Amino acid sequence: MSLTITTLDWVPDFPRGYVKDLRARWACREAGLDYEIATVPADPKSDAHLKIQPFHQVPILQDDGLTLFESGAIVLHLAGKSPALMPEGEEERAHVTQWIFAALSSIEPPIAAWVFTTFGDAKDESTEKLHGWMHERLGQLDAVLAGRDYLVAGRFTAADLMVADVVRLIADDGELESYPALTAYVDRMTARPAFREAYDEQIAHWEKADELRADQD
Amino acid sequence: MSLTITTLDWVPDFPRGYVKDLRARWACREAGLDYEIATVPADPKSDAHLKIQPFHQVPILQDDGLTLFESGAIVLHLAGKSPALMPEGEEERAHVTQWIFAALSSIEPPIAAWVFTTFGDAKDESTEKLHGWMHERLGQLDAVLAGRDYLVAGRFTAADLMVADVVRLIADDGELESYPALTAYVDRMTARPAFREAYDEQIAHWEKADELRADQD
């Protein structure tokens, strides 16, 4: 088995630590799976990239002959390789899948839309609506996590990886302040050694890209 | 095997035909799976509902002892029961999963955010940004579908069900006019007998709810 995670060759400062290859790196590290990193050009993006990823996004996973995009599909695929990410019981497996979908389909959309519309801009009526939608979800998620360390099976799974990664995007903006259970959960998940290693590795990737750029100037 | 799809007991006119229980009904009908419909109260929503669906959403699927939420997880679960929704090859199965995630995580979020912020409101700078984001995705999806009838395996799968259902929300608003391949694709998918039956059944569900309300007044 040979795993390759494809990410961008460079990004500016603000998305560093949040580019979604981190989800794949984190999953591999929790599961003890070796992987290599490949890159596609960020600016301009390439037709070769579009050919394997129709939305010009990253990450892309290659697993021997299989090429897969969408971080949710990638993490679910990696989870299928390791009990560290996926419990054994049929019901628990279905619930891990459910929470990966919940992260990406119910929790991330309001967060991503709010971040996207507010970035660099003054607030308007639409950002206020998105802010309300986002906080409705965060409050509901906080209630789920009250008195509970993990989402499924009483232990860390790929469900926690995805939910925590989706929510941490706004942790630094103070948007989690009203949610003690959610704040503690994100802190706990991002303190895991596999997360820290994946995060540091992604940061080092961009720093190396800076050096390569400097050499070319 | 006994399947129950839970939806709301009533909704106003505008979401009729778009409540996401349709995805589960459509999947069951493509697969020839029998199901029953149960309801939870729409207004006010109940604590009993929140107990099985932490975001107060529908649909919820019950499959014997298993309770599952998130339409993506539900459709993927149902797809596992039938070759009508899921091809047999390992690579094709992974690609169906990939496209279900793409529908819900890359295509639906800008559509949902744009619809959410524009509904009933004047346009502002944020809705324009969301509109641009949505059209970037629609254009990319149109390119994928050019010269291709289905997303995976050259035949209908759960991937088409989810992508078509996500996009049809804005078909009536004229937002697909610039995308001939995508328009033809949505028309083709929503002309399928299983879609029509699921759609008509959902509309009939709300009409019956209207009658029950009228009786109670």
Side-chain angles (χ1 to χ4, degrees), chain B residues 39-205:
Chain B
T39 62
V40 285
D43 186 23
K45 291 184 176 177
S46 68
D47 287 346
H49 180 187
L50 197 62
K51 215 169 160 182
I52 55 170
Q53 214 300 347
F55 308 114
H56 254 158
Q57 295 168 315
V58 296
I60 301 152
L61 180 74
Q62 279 160 313
D63 180 358
D64 289 331
L66 178 68
T67 300
L68 210 57
F69 59 82
E70 285 293 329
S71 64
I74 289 171
V75 167
L76 193 58
H77 177 77
L78 293 170
K81 297 176 180 291
S82 171
L85 294 166
M86 185 64 96
E88 287 206 359
E90 200 178 332
E91 181 172 3
E92 291 173 338
R93 297 172 79 87
H95 285 162
V96 169
T97 303
Q98 163 191 282
W99 276 105
I100 293 174
F101 275 108
L104 296 168
S105 184
S106 290
I107 305 168
E108 187 171 61
I111 293 175
W114 180 75
V115 169
F116 175 71
T117 58
T118 53
F119 188 76
D121 286 321
K123 294 196 173 184
D124 56 26
E125 193 181 336
S126 291
T127 67
E128 287 302 315
K129 283 183 77 170
L130 293 170
H131 193 255
W133 182 20
M134 176 174 89
H135 277 282
E136 184 187 3
R137 284 286 175 277
L138 295 174
Q140 290 164 329
L141 186 57
D142 188 61
V144 169
L145 291 165
R148 188 169 167 183
D149 285 343
Y150 301 101
L151 286 164
V152 183
R155 47 155 280 208
F156 180 83
T157 67
D160 299 301
L161 183 158
M162 196 58 85
V163 170
D165 196 67
V166 157
V167 173
R168 76 184 173 89
L169 178 63
I170 48 163
D172 292 341
D173 299 333
E175 295 290 329
L176 302 187
E177 273 171 12
S178 322
Y179 311 111
L182 183 54
T183 300
Y185 173 78
V186 171
D187 287 349
R188 230 165 35 240
M189 295 308 134
T190 57
R192 293 177 68 83
F195 174 86
R196 300 306 331 162
E197 290 160 15
Y199 183 91
D200 291 346
E201 189 185 65
Q202 183 184 105
I203 297 296
H205 174 79

Side-chain angles (χ1 to χ4, degrees), chain A residues 20 23 50 53-57 65-74 76-77 90-92 94-95 97-109 112-113 115-122 124-127 129-130 133 136-137 140-141 144, chain B residues 20 23 50 53-57 65-74 76-77 90-92 94-95 97-109 112-113 115-122 124-127 129-130 133 136-137 140-141 144:
Chain A
K20 292 174 186 173
R23 296 171 182 175
L50 197 63
Q53 214 299 346
F55 308 114
H56 254 157
Q57 295 167 317
L66 177 69
T67 300
L68 210 56
F69 58 82
E70 286 292 331
S71 64
I74 289 169
L76 192 58
H77 177 78
E90 202 179 328
E91 182 172 3
E92 291 172 340
H95 286 164
T97 302
Q98 162 191 282
W99 276 105
I100 293 174
F101 276 108
L104 296 169
S105 184
S106 290
I107 305 168
E108 186 171 62
V115 169
F116 176 70
T117 59
T118 53
F119 189 75
D121 287 320
D124 56 25
E125 194 181 333
S126 291
T127 66
K129 283 183 76 170
L130 293 168
W133 181 21
E136 184 188 2
R137 283 286 176 278
Q140 290 164 328
L141 186 57
V144 168
Chain B
K20 293 175 187 173
R23 297 171 181 174
L50 197 62
Q53 214 300 347
F55 308 114
H56 254 158
Q57 295 168 315
L66 178 68
T67 300
L68 210 57
F69 59 82
E70 285 293 329
S71 64
I74 289 171
L76 193 58
H77 177 77
E90 200 178 332
E91 181 172 3
E92 291 173 338
H95 285 162
T97 303
Q98 163 191 282
W99 276 105
I100 293 174
F101 275 108
L104 296 168
S105 184
S106 290
I107 305 168
E108 187 171 61
V115 169
F116 175 71
T117 58
T118 53
F119 188 76
D121 286 321
D124 56 26
E125 193 181 336
S126 291
T127 67
K129 283 183 77 170
L130 293 170
W133 182 20
E136 184 187 3
R137 284 286 175 277
Q140 290 164 329
L141 186 57
V144 169

Side-chain angles (χ1 to χ4, degrees), chain A residues 44-92:
Chain A
K45 292 183 175 177
S46 69
D47 288 345
H49 179 187
L50 197 63
K51 214 169 161 182
I52 54 169
Q53 214 299 346
F55 308 114
H56 254 157
Q57 295 167 317
V58 295
I60 301 152
L61 181 73
Q62 279 160 313
D63 180 359
D64 289 331
L66 177 69
T67 300
L68 210 56
F69 58 82
E70 286 292 331
S71 64
I74 289 169
V75 167
L76 192 58
H77 177 78
L78 294 170
K81 297 177 180 289
S82 170
L85 294 167
M86 184 65 95
E88 287 207 358
E90 202 179 328
E91 182 172 3
E92 291 172 340

Side-chain angles (χ1 to χ4, degrees), chain B residues 6-24:
Chain B
T6 296
T7 187
L8 295 169
D9 64 352
W10 183 83
V11 294
D13 280 349
F14 67 89
R16 293 185 181 198
Y18 296 97
V19 177
K20 293 175 187 173
D21 66 67
L22 195 138
R23 297 171 181 174

Side-chain angles (χ1 to χ4, degrees), chain B residues 209-217:
Chain B
D210 285 338
E211 286 167 25
L212 286 169
R213 284 203 158 194
D215 288 345
Q216 285 167 7
D217 284 344

